[in-house]
Amino acid sequence: MAMTDPLGDMLTRIRNGQRAKKDSVVSPSSKLRARVLDVLEREGFIRGYSEESTGNRGQHPGLRIELKYFEGEPAIQHLARVSKPGRRIYSGSSELPVVRNGLGITIVSTPRGVLSDAEARDGNVGGEILAEVF
């Protein structure tokens, strides 16, 4: 069966991995997922990620996501998909939501790439709101 929301699947794998206190999780690779992970790494929510082969010939490589903890607690307290395949949510640069009074971030897909809400405001671009993280 085809996956209808690949980004939502990756976010769920990260959430489940942190609840299980895993060091890292593996998710199938795609450009969008890698760009979202770039934002999470820049903002300090994950330690990093790398591409690794799954071992199956003809299969796409996977992304190994290194999870981050602070004093035993996950660095990501809340990770939620905002724009879903059944209901897309778009926002202009001036209407981008502020998460937890600026303590969290919103991940936005813009014409200039996938950015955090602060980067999108600085670049004066809006787009599809992919997820919110704090």
Side-chain angles (χ1 to χ4, degrees):
M1 185 165 165
M3 192 182 312
T4 58
D5 189 10
L7 182 60
D9 174 67
M10 181 186 76
L11 298 179
T12 299
R13 287 174 191 239
I14 292 172
R15 248 190 330 267
N16 290 343
Q18 287 201 314
R19 285 195 181 135
K21 304 285 189 207
K22 298 277 186 188
D23 287 335
S24 64
V25 293
V26 178
S27 174
S29 180
S30 75
K31 287 181 183 178
L32 177 63
R33 292 179 197 194
R35 298 300 74 83
V36 169
L37 291 173
D38 285 338
V39 172
L40 289 174
E41 185 176 9
R42 265 196 318 266
E43 298 291 331
F45 288 105
I46 61 172
R47 283 190 290 156
Y49 72 96
S50 60
E51 280 200 19
E52 68 174 28
S53 68
T54 55
N56 298 339
R57 228 175 110 226
Q59 286 279 341
H60 291 293
L63 294 170
R64 177 162 296 281
I65 305 161
E66 302 293 326
L67 303 176
K68 188 175 183 180
Y69 298 91
F70 181 72
E71 294 180 358
E73 291 297 314
I76 299 173
Q77 298 297 317
H78 173 79
L79 180 62
R81 184 87 155 98
V82 176
S83 183
K84 298 176 179 163
R87 182 162 190 252
R88 300 292 184 182
I89 309 290
Y90 297 94
S91 179
S93 63
S94 60
E95 297 97 35
L96 285 171
V98 177
V99 180
R100 290 282 171 115
N101 252 352
L103 294 177
I105 63 165
T106 303
I107 300 173
V108 186
S109 176
T110 70
R112 295 188 189 159
V114 179
L115 306 172
S116 71
D117 56 346
E119 294 167 333
R121 276 191 207 93
D122 289 345
N124 198 26
V125 290
E128 181 181 357
I129 301 173
L130 299 177
E132 66 178 18
V133 186
F134 61 83

